[in-house]
Amino acid sequence: MFKAVKPEVDIQKLEREQLDFWRLNRIFERSMEERKDAPRYVTYEGPPTVNGVPGVHHVLARAFKDIFPRYKTMRGYYALRKGGWDTHGLPVELALEKELGFTQKKQIEEYGIAVLKQFWDKNLLYKGLKVVPYCSRCGTPLSSHEVSLGYQDVEDPSVFVRFPLRDKPGVYFLVWTTTPWTLPANVALAVGENLDYVQVEGPVPNGEGTENLILAASLVDKVLTNREGYQIVKKFKGKDLLNTHYSPLYTFLPVETNYAYVVAGDFVSTEDGTGIVHIAPAFGVDDMAVGKENNLPVLQTVGADGKFIDAVTEFRGVWVKDADPEITRDLKRRGLMYKAERHKHTYPFCWRCGTPLLYFARDAWFLRATEYRQKMIDLNQTINWVPDHVQDGRFGNWLNELKDWALGRERYWGTPLPVWIDDQTGEGLCVGSVAELSQLAGRDLTELDLHRPYVDDITFPNPNGRGGTMRRVPEVIDVWFDSGAMPLAQWGYPAHNQEIFEEQFPADYICEAVDQTRGWFYTLHSISSMLFEEVSYKNVICLGLILDAKGEKMSKSKGNIVDPWEVFNAHGADAFRWYLFTSGPPGEPRRFSKDLVGDVVSRFWLTLWNTYSFFITYANLDGWTPTSAQPPVAQRDLLDQFVLAELHQMVKDVTEAFDTYDVPGATRPVEAFVEMLSNWYVRLSRRRFWKSESDADKMGAYATLYECLVTVSKLIAPTMPFMADALYRNLVVELDPKAPMSVHLALFPESNPALINETLVREMRLVEKLVSLGRAARESVRLGVRQPLADARFAVREARESGVIERFADLIMSELNVKSVGALNNAGDVVMYKLNPLQSLLGKKLRADFPKVQKWVRDDAPDADKRQWGEALLRGENIVVQLDGQDFALAAEEVQVTRGAAEGYAVAEDGGYLASLDTRLTEELIDEGLAREVVRRVQSLRKDADFNVEDRISLKYQAGERLTKAINRFADYIRAQTLAETMEQGDTNGDFVSAMYQPDPDGDPKKDTSIDGETLAIGVKRV
Ligand SMILES: [Zn+2]
């Protein structure tokens, strides 16, 4: 016997017990141990986050990471789970800076260093003066993928400044900038060689006399404050302006080379500004490039702290952004400010501390990523991205625009950059391990804390015997390097574990939020492309945002954050997961709330559980076990064959979805199948389980439902691990001690193509369609489902479909509670056509004749004519109506056609199918309807009395004359249905459990429990 199962279930208790079982029996460990010689399935853990409390998005990521290792384990693979590689880096450091604590990351960092040495050896690590995004608060450059993490919309100054031409008083270049603080570092102005420029003359705004301004011709209207006041006095091409000198606005720093003149820049556009761009090589990537091309000086006016250096006397010590208004004021005072406004734009901020980034020329260490750009682009094409648009979109665009990776960070905490430079010759070397460093330093450094400041004290003579002392460079390494180096570093490769590294590289699958596209997804791809010219991962799922129930972003300030524990405690972990998997494609934002997870419980979880509990209850009653005789599928009921065909098709579909990382595709079909299993297969098969004889039909039903439930338990094992194992252990392990003791140690089900019967599935779908039309027809005349009807007829679209009605006649009759079914040969017998010629289309065409044609076609023509016209119009054909000796042609679209039921019938139609019920009731049909109502009330009383489904009873009743007549007429039927050994009229008191069904005294129809207005008293007793 299976363990007894009740429909009522405590989900939390079930999940806790399941957890205990897994722990006690080491199921997780065994899922790996038992496959240690199997082919490898590799996943990597993303950089774990440590700041903040766990949120729903953490559950999302964990759930998605968990699916595929589970699935692949069930497909016979060994899927090693290796806990999060420590790449906390700066978020942790920031926390530590507050707490003054410290963490021992020695070994891990040594491994990261070993990876870095490989880059050095390949000459991919270099130092150069570069303009880099720089955080003056953190005192460090940021890599471009870090920059991409922190864009915000802000308002900045937008100033138009006069640059006086050197030899032409009263003539100015008009120049636009949003960073006034960079003006003291200006060394040139850039124009587009082929752009058109003009010199305009007009009165000085708010001043005296006239002035001349030079700017791009196309921007004159947009920029000048009083356009009418100016007239164009000269026109130039940009190249005519080259080498024109102007007087620098500021001269804080001494300059010995030629500067302050116009140069060409291919980046100059006329989209905004004035078409003349101010060049400060210290503070812009383009500026630096133009500066190098033209041998311009780099004026570094700002220190590493983001404040003006002492030489900039007027603004010394002022943080650059604070200096913007001061510089603006100064230029106004000197008559050089044409106009000062503010404008909104998107600007990068430090992702760690929120300080606006400065573009800043620094001596910095770089990885030569651009050298491998094409390799990275090519390799990207071999990765399976989910969603697939990330491949050529977000990620592909990123690779196309790739810059060298700024690797050094001028910080204290972090992995020190293991480069030592000769303080006399400038030669450098990269140290790959503590052992190597010990050898160089001539002492054992095994116990050395690899961090600053200790490692900075390690100096040694240049090992080539010449030169001076080797000293470490001050930088530490970008923490994102650690994250990308983890496939190597977690094994200490290449110094250690070569074999296991090769076995665990590349990953078959990784998964993180889509914001990692330019973070971890990139660093992994970048490092593996540069070191091995290989991908680091073959499949990747990028997860979208979690929104609240209204579709708004969750945030502390909005107070709409959902605590995941509340959801676990209310609905369990399985329903939580299932919601995340089925609620949408993983890359899209998804709404989330406790109630949405609750819907999963009522919609899916309980449907499956009730089907399972139904099966266990009846199987135990009949003593059925998986070793009982199993009739061959071909000899089973068509319903069994149908549901097995659906099952095996679903196994095939779900397997394909898992294999292509399509999570909704691996879950939604199971939910649809379980719904069909419960509301179609089990409902229609109830009487087969219920009947007393254990014939082949019943054996077939058990074997079929059993196979469905066991298969479903395995299909959902990767996605609903708790419920899956609870089902599997009772259905399989309970009666077969040789079976794997947990579904997570079992193999994934295989689809049996021989059982996939597309014809049968198509036919059954047609039956479902006809039954649902029949129900709609019954509904249209408000006839209760328990009232038997004499006949149902169906019009179908194709002749071969008529055969389906015959083949499934029993099923359709029982579903619709009718005595006979058949094909409808002449719809005209049961259907009336209503035709309405449309004035909007025919009024103009028929003019004065319209009213009489309309009246004839709509009202007065014989029904036979209307039927003939209606059928023709529905087929899309035109009709000709003869009236008063005249022919009127009406087109299909000009007449609205609706079909209604003829007297004594109810019809419903959809898409060319029609169901018609004969609604004429005989006395016998009415009595049978009443008897069925009685049965329903007895069954519900049995349930209330808590009788077991197999308990036999004696039944007493009291009823009015009409009801009593019906009860007598169908006494055998009522007794058989309710397992009543005796049924008699009489007092229902005493030791009977009794109930009274009657009209509500106040006439409230909702409280009316009577049978068609008649009172019924019944009593039941177990015998
Ligand atoms: Zn910062």
Side-chain angles (χ1 to χ4, degrees):
M1 287 240 295
F2 302 101
K3 267 192 201 136
V5 173
K6 289 232 161 205
E8 303 75 35
V9 55
D10 179 342
I11 296 177
Q12 282 69 42
K13 185 159 162 265
L14 178 143
E15 292 190 350
R16 274 195 309 273
E17 284 171 359
Q18 198 53 53
L19 263 185
D20 290 343
F21 168 81
W22 291 336
R23 287 200 187 108
L24 192 69
N25 294 282
R26 303 176 55 254
I27 298 299
F28 174 68
E29 290 78 2
R30 287 177 54 179
S31 76
M32 290 195 283
E33 287 161 14
E34 290 181 4
R35 284 161 172 72
K36 64 178 188 297
D37 299 322
R40 265 42 187 164
Y41 179 76
V42 180
T43 58
Y44 295 153
E45 266 297 334
T49 49
V50 291
N51 38 356
V53 288
V56 174
H57 58 288
H58 293 103
V59 179
L60 177 72
R62 276 257 70 84
F64 271 85
K65 286 175 191 180
D66 194 43
I67 304 173
F68 293 98
R70 283 187 187 279
Y71 166 68
K72 285 291 181 175
T73 298
M74 292 181 75
R75 290 297 298 271
Y77 285 79
Y78 168 85
L80 173 70
R81 311 316 202 278
K82 197 163 160 62
W85 163 248
D86 183 304
T87 52
H88 298 158
L90 280 165
V92 171
E93 287 174 44
L94 287 190
L96 287 171
E97 276 176 277
K98 285 176 196 149
E99 291 188 22
L100 293 175
F102 202 72
T103 178
Q104 294 289 333
K105 298 199 294 178
K106 183 174 153 185
Q107 197 185 28
I108 289 162
E109 295 190 341
E110 187 182 345
Y111 290 164
I113 285 167
V115 177
L116 194 66
K117 180 155 167 72
Q118 299 179 62
F119 282 89
W120 176 272
D121 292 343
K122 295 184 87 168
N123 194 27
L124 291 173
L125 183 59
Y126 71 94
K127 192 175 189 183
L129 186 69
K130 278 231 169 170
V131 173
V132 290
Y134 179 86
C135 175
S136 59
R137 151 71 182 76
C138 299
T140 184
L142 277 74
S143 60
S144 35
H145 45 268
E146 284 178 300
V147 175
S148 71
L149 300 174
Y151 276 93
Q152 290 176 29
D153 288 332
V154 285
E155 209 180 69
D156 264 329
S158 164
V159 298
F160 292 79
V161 183
R162 297 184 181 96
F163 279 65
L165 270 66
R166 195 164 70 187
D167 307 316
K168 295 186 179 153
V171 184
Y172 304 92
F173 290 117
L174 194 57
V175 176
W176 177 68
T177 179
T178 57
T179 49
W181 64 267
T182 59
L183 288 169
N186 171 273
V187 296
L189 296 174
V191 296
E193 283 185 283
N194 295 315
L195 296 179
D196 293 313
Y197 292 84
V198 292
Q199 182 172 331
V200 296
E201 186 173 289
V204 179
N206 310 317
E208 289 166 16
T210 60
E211 66 175 347
N212 279 256
L213 301 172
I214 297 173
L215 71 163
S218 60
L219 288 162
V220 164
D221 292 344
K222 194 170 156 191
V223 172
L224 295 178
T225 48
N226 168 23
R227 172 69 186 88
E228 303 78 49
Y230 292 89
Q231 60 189 59
I232 293 172
V233 294
K234 272 188 196 169
K235 292 183 177 180
F236 324 86
K237 279 284 177 196
K239 52 177 164 285
D240 303 329
L241 296 169
L242 298 182
N243 298 315
T244 311
H245 279 81
Y246 60 90
S247 307
L249 305 184
Y250 294 100
T251 51
F252 294 119
L253 300 183
V255 177
E256 280 156 14
T257 48
N258 181 22
Y259 85 126
Y261 59 89
V262 177
V263 298
D266 53 14
F267 49 87
V268 178
S269 82
T270 52
E271 251 167 56
D272 44 24
T274 65
I276 305 177
V277 175
H278 133 68
I279 299 294
F283 305 123
V285 177
D286 289 334
D287 307 52
M288 179 62 90
V290 167
K292 276 188 182 152
E293 237 168 78
N294 294 282
N295 251 333
L296 292 163
V298 178
L299 303 185
Q300 187 46 284
T301 49
V302 177
D305 54 1
K307 295 173 179 170
F308 281 103
I309 59 174
D310 287 352
V312 185
T313 46
E314 240 177 293
F315 311 113
R316 76 164 64 140
V318 182
W319 186 59
V320 294
K321 287 275 174 186
D322 294 337
D324 278 344
E326 292 192 31
I327 289 169
T328 304
R329 260 197 307 280
D330 178 60
L331 293 172
K332 262 186 199 160
R333 188 178 50 74
R334 292 160 55 195
L336 295 174
M337 184 59 70
Y338 181 74
K339 64 175 178 181
E341 299 167 341
R342 301 193 59 82
H343 90 141
K344 272 197 183 140
H345 65 157
T346 307
Y347 193 83
F349 286 71
C350 177
W351 63 276
R352 290 188 296 260
C353 74
T355 306
L357 299 180
L358 310 177
Y359 284 83
F360 214 73
R362 309 280 303 167
D363 250 349
W365 290 92
F366 290 91
L367 282 185
R368 226 182 284 278
T370 47
E371 201 163 291
Y372 285 81
R373 182 193 290 139
Q374 194 54 46
K375 190 84 232 169
M376 291 188 211
I377 290 169
D378 295 344
L379 287 170
N380 177 36
Q381 292 305 316
T382 71
I383 297 172
N384 173 33
W385 286 89
V386 179
D388 58 5
H389 61 76
V390 178
Q391 180 169 50
D392 292 326
R394 219 177 146 99
F395 196 66
N397 291 339
W398 174 252
L399 295 181
N400 290 335
E401 299 292 316
L402 193 68
K403 306 273 189 295
D404 276 353
W405 182 344
L407 191 71
R409 293 290 179 279
E410 292 158 61
R411 295 185 59 76
Y412 189 78
W413 307 114
T415 311
L417 186 66
V419 172
W420 270 257
I421 302 285
D422 185 314
D423 60 7
Q424 285 179 19
T425 65
E427 277 171 86
L429 69 82
C430 182
V431 177
S433 66
V434 172
E436 191 185 340
L437 188 59
S438 301
Q439 203 181 9
L440 288 164
R443 58 193 164 101
D444 181 10
L445 298 171
T446 323
E447 292 306 308
L448 174 75
D449 182 331
L450 272 179
H451 290 91
R452 304 186 67 186
Y454 316 104
V455 70
D456 295 340
D457 295 339
I458 312 294
T459 59
F460 45 88
N462 191 327
N464 71 12
R466 300 179 303 275
T469 303
M470 305 296 286
R471 297 180 193 280
R472 200 187 73 81
V473 299
E475 288 92 341
V476 297
I477 304 173
D478 177 8
V479 3
W480 290 96
F481 182 84
D482 289 350
S483 79
M486 60 72 63
L488 296 79
Q490 69 178 348
W491 302 113
Y493 181 87
H496 313 276
N497 302 315
Q498 284 92 343
E499 213 169 291
I500 192 163
F501 164 73
E502 274 155 31
E503 185 186 292
Q504 294 286 324
F505 178 88
D508 290 293
Y509 168 64
I510 61 169
C511 169
E512 281 295 335
V514 70
D515 59 6
Q516 291 294 337
T517 311
R518 290 159 186 196
W520 190 51
F521 297 157
Y522 167 66
T523 59
L524 281 176
H525 188 66
S526 174
I527 288 177
S528 68
S529 300
M530 286 193 268
L531 286 186
F532 307 118
E533 307 201 1
E534 245 194 82
V535 294
S536 186
Y537 45 89
K538 298 175 188 166
N539 300 281
V540 49
I541 292 182
C542 314
L543 297 170
L545 269 182
I546 296 271
L547 307 173
D548 74 3
K550 290 183 209 134
E552 294 197 28
K553 218 172 149 173
M554 286 194 192
S555 76
K556 258 185 209 155
S557 57
K558 282 191 202 138
N560 59 354
I561 288 181
V562 177
D563 176 3
W565 285 107
E566 236 180 81
V567 183
F568 288 129
N569 292 334
H571 305 303
D574 272 350
F576 199 153
R577 288 180 191 237
W578 193 258
Y579 176 75
L580 297 174
F581 300 151
T582 54
S583 57
E588 296 298 313
R590 74 196 59 227
R591 287 164 193 243
F592 186 86
S593 74
K594 196 165 91 177
D595 290 346
L596 286 168
V597 175
D599 290 345
V600 171
V601 175
S602 49
R603 193 182 68 222
F604 176 52
W605 205 106
L606 287 176
T607 308
L608 177 54
W609 184 264
N610 288 333
T611 308
Y612 159 69
S613 118
F614 170 87
F615 169 82
I616 296 287
T617 304
Y618 282 94
N620 281 348
L621 270 181
D622 280 327
W624 187 89
T625 72
T627 52
S628 302
Q630 301 212 6
V633 172
Q635 288 166 25
R636 294 187 203 171
D637 191 282
L638 280 179
L639 204 51
D640 298 337
Q641 296 183 31
F642 158 72
V643 85
L644 290 173
E646 290 272 43
L647 178 75
H648 284 271
Q649 180 63 49
M650 175 186 60
V651 171
K652 184 165 174 267
D653 295 345
V654 165
T655 305
E656 274 168 20
F658 270 119
D659 287 340
T660 53
Y661 295 84
D662 170 6
V663 173
T667 46
R668 286 173 176 178
V670 185
E671 185 169 325
F673 177 82
V674 168
E675 167 70 23
M676 185 276 293
L677 186 67
S678 160
N679 287 330
W680 185 253
Y681 177 77
V682 170
R683 199 163 50 76
L684 297 186
S685 304
R686 246 169 219 282
R687 62 192 161 73
R688 304 170 60 203
F689 294 100
W690 175 235
K691 65 186 173 188
S692 43
E693 60 275 26
S694 280
D695 55 8
D697 174 57
K698 184 186 251 188
M699 291 294 114
Y702 275 122
T704 302
L705 184 52
Y706 180 75
E707 180 175 349
C708 290
L709 288 168
V710 172
T711 305
V712 164
S713 80
K714 292 175 181 170
L715 288 179
I716 61 172
T719 44
M720 261 199 171
F722 292 89
M723 153 95 103
D725 212 15
L727 263 55
Y728 171 87
R729 285 171 54 210
N730 195 20
L731 288 167
V732 177
V733 188
E734 191 66 22
L735 297 180
D736 178 7
K738 282 196 280 276
M741 70 189 300
S742 162
V743 73
H744 302 292
L745 302 176
L747 288 174
F748 205 69
E750 299 275 347
S751 168
N752 179 354
L755 294 182
I756 298 177
N757 181 341
E758 280 169 26
T759 312
L760 180 57
V761 167
R762 198 173 53 235
E763 290 181 351
M764 190 62 84
R765 297 240 164 97
L766 176 63
V767 170
E768 285 181 75
K769 168 112 199 154
L770 297 180
V771 164
S772 103
L773 277 177
R775 287 207 195 98
R778 187 185 270 271
E779 191 105 323
S780 72
V781 291
R782 306 231 161 99
L783 262 175
V785 285
R786 273 177 294 277
Q787 174 59 59
L789 298 176
D791 185 50
R793 300 275 135 185
F794 301 96
V796 289
R797 287 203 303 209
E798 294 169 46
R800 63 175 178 157
E801 292 176 330
S802 302
V804 174
I805 302 173
E806 251 166 72
R807 229 175 355 271
F808 291 89
D810 285 349
L811 197 159
I812 300 172
M813 285 193 289
S814 118
E815 270 299 275
L816 290 178
N817 194 14
V818 296
K819 299 298 173 192
S820 64
V821 294
L824 180 66
N825 296 318
N826 190 353
D829 298 342
V830 297
V831 170
M832 282 191 359
Y833 286 83
K834 289 182 188 161
L835 308 178
N836 182 25
L838 297 166
Q839 174 152 29
S840 56
L841 298 170
L842 282 169
K844 247 188 197 162
K845 183 167 143 189
L846 302 182
R847 295 175 186 273
D849 291 328
F850 177 74
K852 74 172 179 190
V853 173
Q854 185 190 38
K855 185 162 183 296
W856 175 250
V857 171
R858 189 180 62 195
D859 307 325
D860 302 340
D863 281 351
D865 285 354
K866 288 187 190 168
R867 182 188 314 148
Q868 201 192 339
W869 293 334
E871 283 170 356
L873 290 165
L874 282 180
R875 286 194 299 269
E877 295 166 12
N878 297 347
I879 58 170
V880 176
V881 175
Q882 287 172 331
L883 186 60
D884 299 343
Q886 244 186 304
D887 282 357
F888 297 98
L890 307 182
E893 65 274 14
E894 290 166 343
V895 185
Q896 186 184 30
V897 183
T898 46
R899 292 199 273 193
E903 185 71 30
Y905 293 92
V907 300
E909 59 180 321
D910 180 44
Y913 295 95
L914 181 142
S916 150
L917 301 185
D918 183 345
T919 56
R920 292 166 299 186
L921 297 178
T922 62
E923 200 188 280
E924 185 172 1
L925 286 172
I926 293 171
D927 282 352
E928 188 181 341
L930 293 172
R932 282 176 178 253
E933 292 288 349
V934 171
V935 167
R936 181 171 75 95
R937 282 161 178 77
V938 176
Q939 303 292 33
S940 115
L941 186 58
R942 283 181 59 114
K943 216 174 224 174
D944 293 347
D946 215 15
F947 292 173
N948 293 322
V949 287
E950 72 275 22
D951 289 342
R952 310 213 148 241
I953 58 167
S954 61
L955 176 61
K956 281 193 174 188
Y957 69 94
Q958 283 179 310
E961 197 185 329
R962 188 169 137 237
L963 199 49
T964 303
K965 182 169 94 39
I967 291 172
N968 287 336
R969 192 171 199 165
F970 287 94
D972 289 348
Y973 164 77
I974 296 172
R975 281 211 303 273
Q977 291 290 313
T978 60
L979 296 185
E981 297 208 328
T982 60
M983 176 169 79
E984 54 196 29
Q985 256 179 312
D987 191 352
T988 59
N989 295 331
D991 50 356
F992 280 80
V993 180
S994 63
M996 177 82 97
Y997 301 97
Q998 58 195 347
D1000 181 59
D1002 301 324
D1004 182 349
K1006 279 185 198 144
K1007 292 183 188 158
D1008 184 348
T1009 58
S1010 72
I1011 297 176
D1012 221 359
E1014 291 205 42
T1015 299
L1016 170 72
I1018 48 176
V1020 295
K1021 189 173 77 172
R1022 251 192 294 228
V1023 293

